Amino acid sequence: GIQVEQSPPDLILQEGANSTLRCNFSDSVNNLQWFHQNPWGQLINLFYIPSGTKQNGRLSATTVATERYSLLYISSSQTTDSGVYFCAVGFGGYNKLIFGAGTRLAVHP
Amino acid sequence: EAGVAQSPRYKIIEKRQSVAFWCNPISGHATLYWYQQILGQGPKLLIQFQNNGVVDDSQLPKDRFSAERLKGVDSTLKIQPAKLEDSAVYLCASSLQGADTQYFGPGTRLTVL
């Protein structure tokens, strides 16, 4: 089956720092989504990005489908950015989502 | 617009007991998903409904887990009998159609003792 690998597994930042999270996947996919799981467990969809680049405030994402990777950029990090960031790839006729293991981010003041 | 609703939020049971979780998706969303998230891991899809039909249940332990989505709206996931390894957060999500953005509910944290 499709493998989804995220790096780094853990990241500690000082408030105001920038970071890049990476997601590699092993096969062609229909689409890719980035999620943030806050410390209370709520999963929030950040980007639906099968290819190209999207930006939303301090966050942006780029997916290069032909090279099977996606990047999530966080600029000027804030303590509220803490949590786990997951990428998930969709494949097959009903777009089954396969999640990576996540990147755990802690932003300190 | 109301989000995905789930209940209960927490449940503690003894092994071999049964438990049921309820999910109400966002109004108008045709596709509904149940995921299991074990501590420290990403969510794993258990079952996916398109309206009231099952389109993927390949990772559902069918000897103990069952799910239904009557009338293509809300859904119930049942575990009977529960095992210790079923301790996890059970997440429900919905999307307009299968290929669209998925929206998640707050989850039900299950502890099996």
PDB file of all heavy atoms in Angstrom, chain A residues 31 33 35 37 40-43 45 48 86 94-102 104, chain B residues 35 37 40 42-43 45 48 55-56 58-59 91 98-102 104-106:
ATOM      1  N   ASN A  31      -5.067  13.331  -4.257  1.00  0.00           N
ATOM      2  CA  ASN A  31      -4.915  14.639  -3.633  1.00  0.00           C
ATOM      3  C   ASN A  31      -4.147  14.492  -2.326  1.00  0.00           C
ATOM      4  O   ASN A  31      -3.815  13.379  -1.906  1.00  0.00           O
ATOM      5  CB  ASN A  31      -6.284  15.287  -3.366  1.00  0.00           C
ATOM      6  CG  ASN A  31      -7.190  14.396  -2.538  1.00  0.00           C
ATOM      7  OD1 ASN A  31      -6.926  14.152  -1.371  1.00  0.00           O
ATOM      8  ND2 ASN A  31      -8.259  13.906  -3.138  1.00  0.00           N
ATOM      9  N   GLN A  33      -3.917  16.389   1.710  1.00  0.00           N
ATOM     10  CA  GLN A  33      -4.478  17.350   2.649  1.00  0.00           C
ATOM     11  C   GLN A  33      -3.541  17.482   3.847  1.00  0.00           C
ATOM     12  O   GLN A  33      -2.954  16.489   4.290  1.00  0.00           O
ATOM     13  CB  GLN A  33      -5.878  16.888   3.121  1.00  0.00           C
ATOM     14  CG  GLN A  33      -6.864  16.693   1.970  1.00  0.00           C
ATOM     15  CD  GLN A  33      -8.269  16.323   2.407  1.00  0.00           C
ATOM     16  OE1 GLN A  33      -8.795  16.838   3.374  1.00  0.00           O
ATOM     17  NE2 GLN A  33      -8.900  15.416   1.649  1.00  0.00           N
ATOM     18  N   PHE A  35      -3.438  18.705   7.892  1.00  0.00           N
ATOM     19  CA  PHE A  35      -4.294  18.922   9.060  1.00  0.00           C
ATOM     20  C   PHE A  35      -3.433  19.357  10.246  1.00  0.00           C
ATOM     21  O   PHE A  35      -2.274  18.973  10.366  1.00  0.00           O
ATOM     22  CB  PHE A  35      -5.029  17.635   9.456  1.00  0.00           C
ATOM     23  CG  PHE A  35      -6.022  17.130   8.451  1.00  0.00           C
ATOM     24  CD1 PHE A  35      -5.617  16.285   7.431  1.00  0.00           C
ATOM     25  CD2 PHE A  35      -7.365  17.469   8.540  1.00  0.00           C
ATOM     26  CE1 PHE A  35      -6.529  15.793   6.506  1.00  0.00           C
ATOM     27  CE2 PHE A  35      -8.283  16.984   7.625  1.00  0.00           C
ATOM     28  CZ  PHE A  35      -7.863  16.151   6.603  1.00  0.00           C
ATOM     29  N   GLN A  37      -3.716  19.064  14.410  1.00  0.00           N
ATOM     30  CA  GLN A  37      -4.445  18.536  15.568  1.00  0.00           C
ATOM     31  C   GLN A  37      -3.999  19.318  16.792  1.00  0.00           C
ATOM     32  O   GLN A  37      -2.829  19.241  17.188  1.00  0.00           O
ATOM     33  CB  GLN A  37      -4.195  17.040  15.757  1.00  0.00           C
ATOM     34  CG  GLN A  37      -5.110  16.411  16.807  1.00  0.00           C
ATOM     35  CD  GLN A  37      -5.110  14.895  16.714  1.00  0.00           C
ATOM     36  OE1 GLN A  37      -4.094  14.259  16.522  1.00  0.00           O
ATOM     37  NE2 GLN A  37      -6.295  14.293  16.851  1.00  0.00           N
ATOM     38  N   TRP A  40      -6.047  19.687  22.243  1.00  0.00           N
ATOM     39  CA  TRP A  40      -7.298  19.115  22.722  1.00  0.00           C
ATOM     40  C   TRP A  40      -7.815  18.013  21.794  1.00  0.00           C
ATOM     41  O   TRP A  40      -8.883  17.457  22.026  1.00  0.00           O
ATOM     42  CB  TRP A  40      -8.361  20.207  22.876  1.00  0.00           C
ATOM     43  CG  TRP A  40      -7.949  21.183  23.919  1.00  0.00           C
ATOM     44  CD1 TRP A  40      -8.221  21.145  25.250  1.00  0.00           C
ATOM     45  CD2 TRP A  40      -7.134  22.354  23.719  1.00  0.00           C
ATOM     46  NE1 TRP A  40      -7.619  22.221  25.873  1.00  0.00           N
ATOM     47  CE2 TRP A  40      -6.958  22.965  24.958  1.00  0.00           C
ATOM     48  CE3 TRP A  40      -6.534  22.929  22.585  1.00  0.00           C
ATOM     49  CZ2 TRP A  40      -6.217  24.133  25.125  1.00  0.00           C
ATOM     50  CZ3 TRP A  40      -5.798  24.091  22.740  1.00  0.00           C
ATOM     51  CH2 TRP A  40      -5.637  24.682  24.006  1.00  0.00           C
ATOM     52  N   GLY A  41      -7.052  17.715  20.749  1.00  0.00           N
ATOM     53  CA  GLY A  41      -7.382  16.599  19.884  1.00  0.00           C
ATOM     54  C   GLY A  41      -8.195  16.927  18.648  1.00  0.00           C
ATOM     55  O   GLY A  41      -8.451  16.037  17.829  1.00  0.00           O
ATOM     56  N   GLN A  42      -8.620  18.171  18.471  1.00  0.00           N
ATOM     57  CA  GLN A  42      -9.433  18.542  17.313  1.00  0.00           C
ATOM     58  C   GLN A  42      -8.563  18.639  16.064  1.00  0.00           C
ATOM     59  O   GLN A  42      -7.540  19.321  16.073  1.00  0.00           O
ATOM     60  CB  GLN A  42     -10.136  19.875  17.553  1.00  0.00           C
ATOM     61  CG  GLN A  42     -10.974  20.344  16.378  1.00  0.00           C
ATOM     62  CD  GLN A  42     -12.207  19.498  16.145  1.00  0.00           C
ATOM     63  OE1 GLN A  42     -13.010  19.283  17.042  1.00  0.00           O
ATOM     64  NE2 GLN A  42     -12.375  19.013  14.920  1.00  0.00           N
ATOM     65  N   LEU A  43      -8.988  17.940  15.018  1.00  0.00           N
ATOM     66  CA  LEU A  43      -8.297  17.976  13.730  1.00  0.00           C
ATOM     67  C   LEU A  43      -8.922  19.060  12.860  1.00  0.00           C
ATOM     68  O   LEU A  43     -10.126  19.031  12.603  1.00  0.00           O
ATOM     69  CB  LEU A  43      -8.425  16.641  13.011  1.00  0.00           C
ATOM     70  CG  LEU A  43      -7.335  15.604  13.232  1.00  0.00           C
ATOM     71  CD1 LEU A  43      -7.784  14.251  12.738  1.00  0.00           C
ATOM     72  CD2 LEU A  43      -6.053  16.012  12.533  1.00  0.00           C
ATOM     73  N   ASN A  45      -8.655  21.023   9.133  1.00  0.00           N
ATOM     74  CA  ASN A  45      -8.080  20.983   7.803  1.00  0.00           C
ATOM     75  C   ASN A  45      -7.417  22.314   7.478  1.00  0.00           C
ATOM     76  O   ASN A  45      -8.036  23.363   7.590  1.00  0.00           O
ATOM     77  CB  ASN A  45      -9.171  20.660   6.781  1.00  0.00           C
ATOM     78  CG  ASN A  45      -8.599  20.347   5.416  1.00  0.00           C
ATOM     79  OD1 ASN A  45      -8.168  21.246   4.709  1.00  0.00           O
ATOM     80  ND2 ASN A  45      -8.582  19.088   5.071  1.00  0.00           N
ATOM     81  N   TYR A  48      -6.142  21.732   1.239  1.00  0.00           N
ATOM     82  CA  TYR A  48      -6.458  20.674   0.289  1.00  0.00           C
ATOM     83  C   TYR A  48      -5.621  21.014  -0.932  1.00  0.00           C
ATOM     84  O   TYR A  48      -5.925  21.993  -1.625  1.00  0.00           O
ATOM     85  CB  TYR A  48      -7.945  20.674  -0.019  1.00  0.00           C
ATOM     86  CG  TYR A  48      -8.400  19.630  -1.020  1.00  0.00           C
ATOM     87  CD1 TYR A  48      -8.922  18.412  -0.587  1.00  0.00           C
ATOM     88  CD2 TYR A  48      -8.320  19.861  -2.386  1.00  0.00           C
ATOM     89  CE1 TYR A  48      -9.362  17.464  -1.498  1.00  0.00           C
ATOM     90  CE2 TYR A  48      -8.747  18.920  -3.301  1.00  0.00           C
ATOM     91  CZ  TYR A  48      -9.269  17.723  -2.852  1.00  0.00           C
ATOM     92  OH  TYR A  48      -9.703  16.777  -3.756  1.00  0.00           O
ATOM     93  N   PHE A  86      -0.456  16.742  10.480  1.00  0.00           N
ATOM     94  CA  PHE A  86      -0.559  15.524   9.689  1.00  0.00           C
ATOM     95  C   PHE A  86      -0.727  15.867   8.215  1.00  0.00           C
ATOM     96  O   PHE A  86      -1.468  16.800   7.872  1.00  0.00           O
ATOM     97  CB  PHE A  86      -1.778  14.688  10.109  1.00  0.00           C
ATOM     98  CG  PHE A  86      -1.674  14.060  11.459  1.00  0.00           C
ATOM     99  CD1 PHE A  86      -2.338  14.607  12.553  1.00  0.00           C
ATOM    100  CD2 PHE A  86      -0.949  12.888  11.639  1.00  0.00           C
ATOM    101  CE1 PHE A  86      -2.261  14.014  13.805  1.00  0.00           C
ATOM    102  CE2 PHE A  86      -0.865  12.286  12.892  1.00  0.00           C
ATOM    103  CZ  PHE A  86      -1.523  12.848  13.970  1.00  0.00           C
ATOM    104  N   TYR A  94     -12.728   6.073  -4.334  1.00  0.00           N
ATOM    105  CA  TYR A  94     -13.476   6.783  -3.293  1.00  0.00           C
ATOM    106  C   TYR A  94     -12.565   7.653  -2.429  1.00  0.00           C
ATOM    107  O   TYR A  94     -12.963   8.090  -1.363  1.00  0.00           O
ATOM    108  CB  TYR A  94     -14.249   5.790  -2.431  1.00  0.00           C
ATOM    109  CG  TYR A  94     -15.388   5.152  -3.194  1.00  0.00           C
ATOM    110  CD1 TYR A  94     -15.257   3.867  -3.731  1.00  0.00           C
ATOM    111  CD2 TYR A  94     -16.577   5.846  -3.408  1.00  0.00           C
ATOM    112  CE1 TYR A  94     -16.286   3.289  -4.444  1.00  0.00           C
ATOM    113  CE2 TYR A  94     -17.613   5.263  -4.119  1.00  0.00           C
ATOM    114  CZ  TYR A  94     -17.459   3.991  -4.635  1.00  0.00           C
ATOM    115  OH  TYR A  94     -18.483   3.425  -5.349  1.00  0.00           O
ATOM    116  N   ASN A  95     -11.342   7.890  -2.919  1.00  0.00           N
ATOM    117  CA  ASN A  95     -10.422   8.817  -2.261  1.00  0.00           C
ATOM    118  C   ASN A  95     -10.166   8.456  -0.801  1.00  0.00           C
ATOM    119  O   ASN A  95     -10.301   9.289   0.096  1.00  0.00           O
ATOM    120  CB  ASN A  95     -10.933  10.257  -2.360  1.00  0.00           C
ATOM    121  CG  ASN A  95      -9.842  11.267  -2.124  1.00  0.00           C
ATOM    122  OD1 ASN A  95      -8.801  11.217  -2.770  1.00  0.00           O
ATOM    123  ND2 ASN A  95     -10.056  12.180  -1.198  1.00  0.00           N
ATOM    124  N   LYS A  96      -9.791   7.210  -0.565  1.00  0.00           N
ATOM    125  CA  LYS A  96      -9.431   6.786   0.791  1.00  0.00           C
ATOM    126  C   LYS A  96      -8.225   7.585   1.251  1.00  0.00           C
ATOM    127  O   LYS A  96      -7.248   7.740   0.521  1.00  0.00           O
ATOM    128  CB  LYS A  96      -9.096   5.298   0.783  1.00  0.00           C
ATOM    129  CG  LYS A  96      -8.637   4.733   2.109  1.00  0.00           C
ATOM    130  CD  LYS A  96      -8.412   3.242   1.981  1.00  0.00           C
ATOM    131  CE  LYS A  96      -7.965   2.642   3.301  1.00  0.00           C
ATOM    132  NZ  LYS A  96      -7.840   1.159   3.216  1.00  0.00           N
ATOM    133  N   LEU A  97      -8.276   8.123   2.485  1.00  0.00           N
ATOM    134  CA  LEU A  97      -7.171   8.906   3.026  1.00  0.00           C
ATOM    135  C   LEU A  97      -6.234   8.030   3.852  1.00  0.00           C
ATOM    136  O   LEU A  97      -6.688   7.273   4.715  1.00  0.00           O
ATOM    137  CB  LEU A  97      -7.684  10.026   3.922  1.00  0.00           C
ATOM    138  CG  LEU A  97      -8.128  11.340   3.282  1.00  0.00           C
ATOM    139  CD1 LEU A  97      -8.326  12.400   4.362  1.00  0.00           C
ATOM    140  CD2 LEU A  97      -7.153  11.833   2.236  1.00  0.00           C
ATOM    141  N   ILE A  98      -4.940   8.150   3.590  1.00  0.00           N
ATOM    142  CA  ILE A  98      -3.901   7.517   4.387  1.00  0.00           C
ATOM    143  C   ILE A  98      -3.098   8.628   5.050  1.00  0.00           C
ATOM    144  O   ILE A  98      -2.577   9.520   4.375  1.00  0.00           O
ATOM    145  CB  ILE A  98      -2.956   6.660   3.524  1.00  0.00           C
ATOM    146  CG1 ILE A  98      -3.732   5.578   2.781  1.00  0.00           C
ATOM    147  CG2 ILE A  98      -1.849   6.044   4.396  1.00  0.00           C
ATOM    148  CD1 ILE A  98      -4.359   4.539   3.679  1.00  0.00           C
ATOM    149  N   PHE A  99      -3.022   8.584   6.386  1.00  0.00           N
ATOM    150  CA  PHE A  99      -2.329   9.610   7.150  1.00  0.00           C
ATOM    151  C   PHE A  99      -0.892   9.211   7.437  1.00  0.00           C
ATOM    152  O   PHE A  99      -0.582   8.029   7.644  1.00  0.00           O
ATOM    153  CB  PHE A  99      -3.038   9.831   8.496  1.00  0.00           C
ATOM    154  CG  PHE A  99      -4.263  10.667   8.417  1.00  0.00           C
ATOM    155  CD1 PHE A  99      -5.444  10.160   7.906  1.00  0.00           C
ATOM    156  CD2 PHE A  99      -4.258  11.985   8.868  1.00  0.00           C
ATOM    157  CE1 PHE A  99      -6.596  10.944   7.824  1.00  0.00           C
ATOM    158  CE2 PHE A  99      -5.394  12.770   8.808  1.00  0.00           C
ATOM    159  CZ  PHE A  99      -6.561  12.243   8.283  1.00  0.00           C
ATOM    160  N   GLY A 100      -0.021  10.218   7.485  1.00  0.00           N
ATOM    161  CA  GLY A 100       1.313  10.015   8.007  1.00  0.00           C
ATOM    162  C   GLY A 100       1.287   9.963   9.534  1.00  0.00           C
ATOM    163  O   GLY A 100       0.230  10.133  10.153  1.00  0.00           O
ATOM    164  N   ALA A 101       2.462   9.763  10.123  1.00  0.00           N
ATOM    165  CA  ALA A 101       2.556   9.656  11.585  1.00  0.00           C
ATOM    166  C   ALA A 101       2.568  11.015  12.267  1.00  0.00           C
ATOM    167  O   ALA A 101       2.452  11.097  13.485  1.00  0.00           O
ATOM    168  CB  ALA A 101       3.793   8.868  11.977  1.00  0.00           C
ATOM    169  N   GLY A 102       2.721  12.087  11.494  1.00  0.00           N
ATOM    170  CA  GLY A 102       2.635  13.424  12.053  1.00  0.00           C
ATOM    171  C   GLY A 102       3.979  14.025  12.454  1.00  0.00           C
ATOM    172  O   GLY A 102       4.967  13.326  12.656  1.00  0.00           O
ATOM    173  N   ARG A 104       5.208  16.573  15.472  1.00  0.00           N
ATOM    174  CA  ARG A 104       4.786  17.200  16.714  1.00  0.00           C
ATOM    175  C   ARG A 104       5.546  18.490  16.920  1.00  0.00           C
ATOM    176  O   ARG A 104       6.771  18.461  17.053  1.00  0.00           O
ATOM    177  CB  ARG A 104       5.019  16.250  17.892  1.00  0.00           C
ATOM    178  CG  ARG A 104       4.014  15.124  17.916  1.00  0.00           C
ATOM    179  CD  ARG A 104       4.521  13.851  18.570  1.00  0.00           C
ATOM    180  NE  ARG A 104       3.573  12.763  18.376  1.00  0.00           N
ATOM    181  CZ  ARG A 104       3.413  12.086  17.245  1.00  0.00           C
ATOM    182  NH1 ARG A 104       4.156  12.345  16.202  1.00  0.00           N
ATOM    183  NH2 ARG A 104       2.521  11.128  17.156  1.00  0.00           N
TER     184      ARG A 104
ATOM    185  N   TYR B  35     -12.734   6.936  11.828  1.00  0.00           N
ATOM    186  CA  TYR B  35     -11.311   6.679  11.972  1.00  0.00           C
ATOM    187  C   TYR B  35     -11.014   6.244  13.410  1.00  0.00           C
ATOM    188  O   TYR B  35     -11.692   6.651  14.349  1.00  0.00           O
ATOM    189  CB  TYR B  35     -10.488   7.946  11.706  1.00  0.00           C
ATOM    190  CG  TYR B  35     -10.453   8.415  10.275  1.00  0.00           C
ATOM    191  CD1 TYR B  35     -11.439   9.270   9.778  1.00  0.00           C
ATOM    192  CD2 TYR B  35      -9.418   8.037   9.425  1.00  0.00           C
ATOM    193  CE1 TYR B  35     -11.390   9.717   8.463  1.00  0.00           C
ATOM    194  CE2 TYR B  35      -9.367   8.485   8.112  1.00  0.00           C
ATOM    195  CZ  TYR B  35     -10.352   9.325   7.645  1.00  0.00           C
ATOM    196  OH  TYR B  35     -10.304   9.774   6.338  1.00  0.00           O
ATOM    197  N   GLN B  37      -7.829   6.500  16.062  1.00  0.00           N
ATOM    198  CA  GLN B  37      -6.514   7.105  16.275  1.00  0.00           C
ATOM    199  C   GLN B  37      -5.942   6.604  17.598  1.00  0.00           C
ATOM    200  O   GLN B  37      -6.424   6.976  18.673  1.00  0.00           O
ATOM    201  CB  GLN B  37      -6.583   8.624  16.271  1.00  0.00           C
ATOM    202  CG  GLN B  37      -5.190   9.268  16.340  1.00  0.00           C
ATOM    203  CD  GLN B  37      -5.219  10.776  16.246  1.00  0.00           C
ATOM    204  OE1 GLN B  37      -6.228  11.417  16.511  1.00  0.00           O
ATOM    205  NE2 GLN B  37      -4.084  11.367  15.850  1.00  0.00           N
ATOM    206  N   GLY B  40      -0.302   8.629  19.665  1.00  0.00           N
ATOM    207  CA  GLY B  40       0.994   8.757  19.016  1.00  0.00           C
ATOM    208  C   GLY B  40       1.008   8.400  17.537  1.00  0.00           C
ATOM    209  O   GLY B  40       2.066   8.455  16.899  1.00  0.00           O
ATOM    210  N   GLY B  42      -1.161   8.496  13.489  1.00  0.00           N
ATOM    211  CA  GLY B  42      -2.149   9.190  12.682  1.00  0.00           C
ATOM    212  C   GLY B  42      -3.454   8.408  12.641  1.00  0.00           C
ATOM    213  O   GLY B  42      -3.482   7.208  12.938  1.00  0.00           O
ATOM    214  N   PRO B  43      -4.554   9.071  12.298  1.00  0.00           N
ATOM    215  CA  PRO B  43      -5.833   8.369  12.191  1.00  0.00           C
ATOM    216  C   PRO B  43      -5.785   7.276  11.127  1.00  0.00           C
ATOM    217  O   PRO B  43      -5.141   7.425  10.097  1.00  0.00           O
ATOM    218  CB  PRO B  43      -6.808   9.484  11.779  1.00  0.00           C
ATOM    219  CG  PRO B  43      -6.166  10.757  12.230  1.00  0.00           C
ATOM    220  CD  PRO B  43      -4.699  10.522  12.077  1.00  0.00           C
ATOM    221  N   LEU B  45      -8.369   4.872   8.792  1.00  0.00           N
ATOM    222  CA  LEU B  45      -9.747   4.727   8.343  1.00  0.00           C
ATOM    223  C   LEU B  45     -10.292   3.351   8.701  1.00  0.00           C
ATOM    224  O   LEU B  45      -9.692   2.327   8.379  1.00  0.00           O
ATOM    225  CB  LEU B  45      -9.835   4.936   6.826  1.00  0.00           C
ATOM    226  CG  LEU B  45     -11.235   4.811   6.224  1.00  0.00           C
ATOM    227  CD1 LEU B  45     -12.118   5.980   6.656  1.00  0.00           C
ATOM    228  CD2 LEU B  45     -11.171   4.737   4.706  1.00  0.00           C
ATOM    229  N   GLN B  48     -15.918   3.829   5.450  1.00  0.00           N
ATOM    230  CA  GLN B  48     -16.330   5.008   4.696  1.00  0.00           C
ATOM    231  C   GLN B  48     -17.680   4.733   4.065  1.00  0.00           C
ATOM    232  O   GLN B  48     -17.872   3.708   3.407  1.00  0.00           O
ATOM    233  CB  GLN B  48     -15.288   5.330   3.618  1.00  0.00           C
ATOM    234  CG  GLN B  48     -15.625   6.528   2.739  1.00  0.00           C
ATOM    235  CD  GLN B  48     -14.510   6.867   1.769  1.00  0.00           C
ATOM    236  OE1 GLN B  48     -13.359   6.478   1.965  1.00  0.00           O
ATOM    237  NE2 GLN B  48     -14.832   7.613   0.730  1.00  0.00           N
ATOM    238  N   VAL B  55     -18.528   2.028   1.187  1.00  0.00           N
ATOM    239  CA  VAL B  55     -17.639   1.953   0.028  1.00  0.00           C
ATOM    240  C   VAL B  55     -16.255   1.434   0.386  1.00  0.00           C
ATOM    241  O   VAL B  55     -15.493   1.047  -0.486  1.00  0.00           O
ATOM    242  CB  VAL B  55     -17.524   3.310  -0.699  1.00  0.00           C
ATOM    243  CG1 VAL B  55     -18.892   3.728  -1.236  1.00  0.00           C
ATOM    244  CG2 VAL B  55     -16.961   4.390   0.201  1.00  0.00           C
ATOM    245  N   ASP B  56     -15.908   1.445   1.686  1.00  0.00           N
ATOM    246  CA  ASP B  56     -14.628   0.874   2.127  1.00  0.00           C
ATOM    247  C   ASP B  56     -14.742   0.497   3.586  1.00  0.00           C
ATOM    248  O   ASP B  56     -15.019   1.353   4.428  1.00  0.00           O
ATOM    249  CB  ASP B  56     -13.477   1.874   1.930  1.00  0.00           C
ATOM    250  CG  ASP B  56     -12.100   1.240   2.130  1.00  0.00           C
ATOM    251  OD1 ASP B  56     -11.921   0.479   3.091  1.00  0.00           O
ATOM    252  OD2 ASP B  56     -11.198   1.524   1.319  1.00  0.00           O
ATOM    253  N   SER B  58     -12.322  -2.066   4.605  1.00  0.00           N
ATOM    254  CA  SER B  58     -11.251  -3.058   4.545  1.00  0.00           C
ATOM    255  C   SER B  58     -10.440  -3.148   5.839  1.00  0.00           C
ATOM    256  O   SER B  58      -9.814  -4.164   6.102  1.00  0.00           O
ATOM    257  CB  SER B  58     -10.312  -2.743   3.375  1.00  0.00           C
ATOM    258  OG  SER B  58      -9.803  -1.429   3.479  1.00  0.00           O
ATOM    259  N   GLN B  59     -10.434  -2.084   6.644  1.00  0.00           N
ATOM    260  CA  GLN B  59      -9.655  -2.118   7.889  1.00  0.00           C
ATOM    261  C   GLN B  59     -10.548  -2.187   9.120  1.00  0.00           C
ATOM    262  O   GLN B  59     -10.080  -1.954  10.236  1.00  0.00           O
ATOM    263  CB  GLN B  59      -8.722  -0.905   7.952  1.00  0.00           C
ATOM    264  CG  GLN B  59      -7.697  -0.898   6.822  1.00  0.00           C
ATOM    265  CD  GLN B  59      -6.628   0.141   7.020  1.00  0.00           C
ATOM    266  OE1 GLN B  59      -5.554  -0.139   7.538  1.00  0.00           O
ATOM    267  NE2 GLN B  59      -6.906   1.360   6.603  1.00  0.00           N
ATOM    268  N   LEU B  91     -12.714   8.961  15.691  1.00  0.00           N
ATOM    269  CA  LEU B  91     -13.014  10.220  15.016  1.00  0.00           C
ATOM    270  C   LEU B  91     -14.001   9.984  13.883  1.00  0.00           C
ATOM    271  O   LEU B  91     -13.871   9.032  13.121  1.00  0.00           O
ATOM    272  CB  LEU B  91     -11.734  10.818  14.423  1.00  0.00           C
ATOM    273  CG  LEU B  91     -10.661  11.248  15.415  1.00  0.00           C
ATOM    274  CD1 LEU B  91      -9.319  11.397  14.725  1.00  0.00           C
ATOM    275  CD2 LEU B  91     -11.047  12.564  16.082  1.00  0.00           C
ATOM    276  N   GLY B  98     -16.594  12.191  -1.791  1.00  0.00           N
ATOM    277  CA  GLY B  98     -15.394  11.490  -1.353  1.00  0.00           C
ATOM    278  C   GLY B  98     -14.095  12.197  -1.661  1.00  0.00           C
ATOM    279  O   GLY B  98     -13.131  12.051  -0.927  1.00  0.00           O
ATOM    280  N   ALA B  99     -14.048  12.976  -2.718  1.00  0.00           N
ATOM    281  CA  ALA B  99     -12.788  13.585  -3.124  1.00  0.00           C
ATOM    282  C   ALA B  99     -12.564  14.957  -2.523  1.00  0.00           C
ATOM    283  O   ALA B  99     -11.599  15.626  -2.845  1.00  0.00           O
ATOM    284  CB  ALA B  99     -12.723  13.673  -4.646  1.00  0.00           C
ATOM    285  N   ASP B 100     -13.441  15.373  -1.651  1.00  0.00           N
ATOM    286  CA  ASP B 100     -13.383  16.738  -1.121  1.00  0.00           C
ATOM    287  C   ASP B 100     -12.710  16.813   0.245  1.00  0.00           C
ATOM    288  O   ASP B 100     -12.388  15.790   0.854  1.00  0.00           O
ATOM    289  CB  ASP B 100     -14.798  17.317  -1.012  1.00  0.00           C
ATOM    290  CG  ASP B 100     -15.465  17.458  -2.353  1.00  0.00           C
ATOM    291  OD1 ASP B 100     -14.788  17.856  -3.312  1.00  0.00           O
ATOM    292  OD2 ASP B 100     -16.675  17.155  -2.448  1.00  0.00           O
ATOM    293  N   THR B 101     -12.542  18.034   0.712  1.00  0.00           N
ATOM    294  CA  THR B 101     -11.974  18.282   2.036  1.00  0.00           C
ATOM    295  C   THR B 101     -12.782  17.566   3.099  1.00  0.00           C
ATOM    296  O   THR B 101     -14.012  17.589   3.078  1.00  0.00           O
ATOM    297  CB  THR B 101     -11.993  19.800   2.323  1.00  0.00           C
ATOM    298  OG1 THR B 101     -11.179  20.452   1.342  1.00  0.00           O
ATOM    299  CG2 THR B 101     -11.458  20.096   3.712  1.00  0.00           C
ATOM    300  N   GLN B 102     -12.079  16.915   4.045  1.00  0.00           N
ATOM    301  CA  GLN B 102     -12.754  16.231   5.144  1.00  0.00           C
ATOM    302  C   GLN B 102     -12.758  17.119   6.386  1.00  0.00           C
ATOM    303  O   GLN B 102     -11.747  17.749   6.708  1.00  0.00           O
ATOM    304  CB  GLN B 102     -12.045  14.905   5.456  1.00  0.00           C
ATOM    305  CG  GLN B 102     -12.200  13.879   4.344  1.00  0.00           C
ATOM    306  CD  GLN B 102     -11.727  12.506   4.744  1.00  0.00           C
ATOM    307  OE1 GLN B 102     -11.662  12.167   5.925  1.00  0.00           O
ATOM    308  NE2 GLN B 102     -11.411  11.682   3.759  1.00  0.00           N
ATOM    309  N   PHE B 104     -13.523  17.102  10.506  1.00  0.00           N
ATOM    310  CA  PHE B 104     -13.540  16.148  11.600  1.00  0.00           C
ATOM    311  C   PHE B 104     -14.346  16.638  12.791  1.00  0.00           C
ATOM    312  O   PHE B 104     -14.373  17.838  13.107  1.00  0.00           O
ATOM    313  CB  PHE B 104     -12.112  15.858  12.064  1.00  0.00           C
ATOM    314  CG  PHE B 104     -11.382  14.900  11.172  1.00  0.00           C
ATOM    315  CD1 PHE B 104     -10.845  15.321   9.965  1.00  0.00           C
ATOM    316  CD2 PHE B 104     -11.257  13.569  11.529  1.00  0.00           C
ATOM    317  CE1 PHE B 104     -10.185  14.424   9.135  1.00  0.00           C
ATOM    318  CE2 PHE B 104     -10.593  12.667  10.712  1.00  0.00           C
ATOM    319  CZ  PHE B 104     -10.056  13.096   9.508  1.00  0.00           C
ATOM    320  N   GLY B 105     -14.969  15.687  13.485  1.00  0.00           N
ATOM    321  CA  GLY B 105     -15.600  15.965  14.760  1.00  0.00           C
ATOM    322  C   GLY B 105     -14.568  15.951  15.880  1.00  0.00           C
ATOM    323  O   GLY B 105     -13.400  15.675  15.644  1.00  0.00           O
ATOM    324  N   PRO B 106     -15.009  16.236  17.123  1.00  0.00           N
ATOM    325  CA  PRO B 106     -14.083  16.319  18.251  1.00  0.00           C
ATOM    326  C   PRO B 106     -13.559  14.965  18.725  1.00  0.00           C
ATOM    327  O   PRO B 106     -12.586  14.905  19.462  1.00  0.00           O
ATOM    328  CB  PRO B 106     -14.920  16.989  19.345  1.00  0.00           C
ATOM    329  CG  PRO B 106     -16.321  16.617  19.003  1.00  0.00           C
ATOM    330  CD  PRO B 106     -16.385  16.566  17.516  1.00  0.00           C
TER     331      PRO B 106
END
